[in-house]
Amino acid sequence: MTRFLPLLLFFALAMLLAFALLQKPQHDIMKLEGSMMREKLPTLTLHARDGTSQKLALNGRVTVINFFASWCTACVGDHAELLKLSRAYPQLVLEGIAWNDTTSRTDEWLAQHRNPYTHVWFDTKGKAAVALGLRGLPESYVVDKHGVIRYHLPGPMTPQLRNDIMEPLIGALMEEP
Amino acid sequence: MRHFILTVLLLIATPAFAVTIEMPLNNSAQEQRARAIFSDLKCVVCEGQALAESDAPLARDMRGQIRAMIEAGQSDAEILAFFVARYGKQVLLNPPFETATMMLWVAPLLLLLGGATLLIRATRGK
């Protein structure tokens, strides 16, 4: 009987993993969990195009902070979805942060792919990236009217993510007092 | 003889750590602290590399942040907490020994004991 033990253990492990993988992710838009979520946005010191250092001001508006770069291939698709998002919500503030890139290449890329951003910043030393726990590009943070991070999207925004999460979330946050 | 020398050289060759080509802090005691912290953290965009060893741009940014925090007078504990808050406990190379991470330390030991037991049983059966 004990010779079946390894096989049984394997089977049990396979069942456990299958169960875990097949869990349907549940989104209660207002109760999303993840790193940096529900935290107040830290003070971000960013560089403007002229090189001057400025602190990002939110001014009580729903904001999406989006890290991107001209060399980032996944950013192209993400950017297209961001454009659609900005058209759906013209009141939405979009702060674009170019990470590890030059002003000229960023400007070229934005000219080619269109610029939906309210402001474009340059995170020259990566301080903002590290302050927000950035793991790669593209990466976006949705911030509510009170400066609290309500969603952290590590990776490109897909049409599905935009439809299922981003648009409903931003709509709900705009309604919030 | 040449082969012997070459073999010895290959065996003692060490990886070129990224830290050596960055601007170190002026205060050498502070730079020592920085390097110690670099060895305590993982590079979050690499496969199992310590922050000390990685050339990735984000790793450079993280090291820059650590040096800035040391110069600003923050303690090692504060610096590690800063990174754990942003990247999770998995950013630490040595996960802390507490109930939530107990299994990380104990599981390999359990697997070793389990495997050894099965092995002994199998060889005795013969």
Side-chain angles (χ1 to χ4, degrees):
Chain A
M1 192 53 206
T2 45
R3 63 197 162 121
F4 288 117
L5 191 60
L7 191 62
L8 286 171
L9 280 175
F10 169 76
F11 194 65
L13 186 64
M15 289 278 95
L16 185 69
L17 291 173
F19 177 71
L21 283 169
L22 292 170
Q23 289 295 305
K24 242 189 178 296
Q26 279 137 3
H27 309 298
D28 175 349
I29 287 293
M30 301 309 269
K31 291 206 181 111
L32 295 164
E33 295 290 327
S35 93
M36 295 307 285
M37 297 212 242
R38 322 216 136 260
E39 308 245 352
K40 237 183 142 70
L41 186 76
T43 315
L44 299 176
T45 307
L46 298 162
H47 291 95
R49 186 173 275 98
D50 57 9
T52 58
S53 211
Q54 285 174 48
K55 295 210 198 308
L56 186 70
L58 293 168
N59 299 320
R61 298 179 59 186
V62 179
T63 305
V64 171
I65 297 173
N66 175 257
F67 282 83
F68 70 101
S70 61
W71 47 262
C72 159
T73 43
C75 294
V76 178
D78 175 75
H79 200 75
E81 296 307 312
L82 207 59
L83 276 158
K84 290 186 198 144
L85 194 66
S86 71
R87 273 184 231 131
Y89 292 98
Q91 295 302 308
L92 180 66
V93 174
L94 285 174
E95 303 282 3
I97 303 182
W99 182 76
N100 199 29
D101 208 353
T102 64
T103 41
S104 51
R105 271 188 253 139
T106 304
D107 287 342
E108 249 174 60
W109 193 82
L110 286 173
Q112 188 189 350
H113 298 282
R114 310 240 224 126
N115 184 359
Y117 300 118
T118 317
H119 305 111
V120 178
W121 305 97
F122 297 87
D123 192 17
T124 334
K125 290 209 195 95
K127 288 203 120 233
V130 177
L132 288 174
L134 192 92
R135 283 178 179 270
L137 295 183
E139 198 146 336
S140 304
Y141 301 80
V142 182
V143 184
D144 69 15
K145 292 178 182 171
H146 307 283
V148 176
I149 298 173
R150 300 297 282 273
Y151 189 55
H152 171 191
L153 175 59
M157 195 186 335
T158 58
Q160 191 172 9
L161 277 169
R162 180 178 49 82
N163 268 314
D164 294 351
I165 298 188
M166 294 298 273
E167 285 191 14
L169 178 63
I170 288 166
L173 292 180
M174 294 221 161
E175 297 290 311
E176 263 188 351
Chain B
M1 186 56 188
R2 216 169 24 140
H3 290 150
F4 177 72
I5 294 175
L6 279 172
T7 311
V8 171
L9 286 175
L10 275 172
L11 287 170
I12 62 172
T14 54
F17 288 123
V19 269
T20 54
I21 48 174
E22 287 170 355
M23 274 287 280
L25 290 171
N26 282 328
N27 181 322
S28 68
Q30 284 182 338
E31 180 64 16
Q32 284 311 309
R33 264 183 70 202
R35 302 218 178 168
I37 295 176
F38 298 164
S39 300
D40 279 339
L41 293 173
K42 272 194 208 143
C43 160
V44 294
V45 292
C46 319
E47 292 297 319
Q49 267 187 316
L51 193 60
E53 298 162 357
S54 170
D55 274 330
L58 189 63
R60 271 201 322 256
D61 290 346
M62 285 170 77
R63 289 194 295 266
Q65 175 75 18
I66 292 166
R67 288 193 171 104
M69 289 175 90
I70 289 177
E71 279 194 309
Q74 302 208 276
S75 71
D76 286 10
E78 282 173 326
I79 294 173
L80 292 176
F82 175 91
F83 283 93
V84 169
R86 282 150 184 79
Y87 292 99
K89 289 216 177 88
Q90 65 261 34
V91 74
L92 298 170
L93 260 179
N94 297 312
F97 198 74
E98 45 184 57
T99 34
T101 55
M102 187 84 64
M103 277 316 282
L104 285 169
W105 291 99
V106 171
L109 201 63
L110 286 176
L111 284 170
L112 185 67
L113 287 171
T117 314
L118 286 171
L119 187 67
I120 292 170
R121 285 248 190 95
T123 49
R124 271 215 202 126
K126 287 189 191 146

